[in-house]
Amino acid sequence: MKFAIAVFSPAHAPSSRRALRFAEAVLASGHDIARLFFYQDGVHSASANIVAPQDELDVAAQWRTFITEHSLDAVVCIAAALRRGVLDDTEANRYQRPAVNLPAPWELSGLGQLHEAAQLADRLVCFGGD
Amino acid sequence: MTTLHVIAHSPFGDQRLASCLRLLGADDGLLLCGDATYALKAGSEPLQMLQAANLGPRLFALAEDLQARALDGTQVIAVDYPAFVELSLHYDKVNSWL
């Protein structure tokens, strides 16, 4: 079965870690992930500038590793990301901002990608909250 | 069409649990995760609401969240992540109360 997973919370929220553990279990159970979509405060889960305290899990880094290892389609909502200062190279240049914090494997795109993922997948599962 | 409802907010901070129980279909399931598992706190009003809803085998909670909060999981079906994945496929849709 194909899953679309949407994450609405930043890397320091329990629900971002929960989404990651769910996504790992999806693949471990032999299912596929059609797309991961990071929306609203979930765009912070994609930021490369996060420095996790030494005694805490670095969930943003774990997302990056997971996505890279499994070559997953990981889309960050562009409107949500811009307003929160999560920028890739193109957007940092376009708006003349001093820093880039969204390198590969993440991709900035529109909300239509979430809609498409929901159509492509057998299940859409959203994660937010505490 | 059956739905698995997923709540991840404390029942002591908002009305999600009460609203969800009001809307829950006869064959829908409810999964409590994160702070929503505090609804199982002994003697609490949210627990009374859950008991009144009498969900039986349709009430689930993430095992790790019960353990982290030392909550009694005897009134729910405790699930790990592989079981969460299976649950999401058992029901036709998953509705997260974001």
Side-chain angles (χ1 to χ4, degrees):
Chain A
M1 300 290 260
K2 272 192 227 142
F3 284 79
I5 297 172
V7 181
F8 288 71
S9 49
H12 59 266
S15 46
S16 182
R17 174 188 164 279
R18 196 175 303 130
L20 175 59
R21 294 289 170 267
F22 182 86
E24 289 168 348
V26 164
L27 296 187
S29 304
H31 303 297
D32 296 322
I33 296 175
R35 181 168 295 148
L36 297 161
F37 192 86
F38 294 77
Y39 192 36
Q40 295 180 357
D41 280 348
V43 302
H44 291 303
S45 286
S47 170
N49 275 359
I50 289 171
V51 181
Q54 284 185 5
D55 59 345
E56 289 182 20
L57 285 178
D58 190 345
V59 174
Q62 291 190 1
W63 270 121
R64 202 155 47 240
T65 305
F66 176 72
I67 289 161
T68 307
E69 277 181 357
H70 298 282
S71 306
L72 296 174
D73 184 7
V75 175
V76 177
C77 174
I78 189 164
L82 289 179
R83 70 162 73 226
R84 289 169 177 82
V86 177
L87 307 178
D88 66 3
D89 199 34
T90 309
E91 299 307 315
N93 277 329
R94 188 199 314 271
Y95 295 103
Q96 298 172 333
R97 292 300 188 268
V100 174
N101 56 351
L102 195 76
W106 309 94
E107 191 187 328
L108 280 176
S109 192
L111 197 53
Q113 300 293 308
L114 175 59
H115 184 264
E116 188 190 59
Q119 305 304 316
L120 287 171
D122 298 294
R123 291 291 182 282
L124 166 67
V125 185
C126 301
F127 288 87
D130 304 312
Chain B
M1 180 72 78
T2 60
T3 301
L4 175 68
H5 294 262
V6 181
I7 303 185
H9 291 80
S10 168
F12 298 98
D14 59 51
Q15 293 299 307
R16 283 182 179 83
L17 179 64
S19 302
C20 175
L21 289 175
R22 201 158 53 235
L23 292 172
L24 208 69
D27 295 317
D28 289 355
L30 173 58
L31 170 65
L32 304 172
C33 42
D35 281 353
T37 55
Y38 282 123
L40 300 168
K41 191 172 156 56
S44 68
E45 199 179 315
L47 181 60
Q48 285 174 10
M49 282 197 305
L50 280 175
Q51 287 168 336
N54 195 23
L55 300 179
R58 297 184 287 130
L59 178 60
F60 309 91
L62 259 191
E64 65 172 21
D65 291 320
L66 293 175
Q67 193 185 0
R69 293 164 182 79
L71 288 163
D72 173 21
T74 53
Q75 308 198 44
V76 296
I77 297 168
V79 295
D80 57 9
Y81 283 96
F84 183 179
V85 172
E86 286 309 304
L87 265 188
S88 68
L89 293 171
H90 174 78
Y91 290 90
D92 298 317
K93 282 181 183 303
V94 180
N95 178 43
S96 298
W97 289 68
L98 292 170

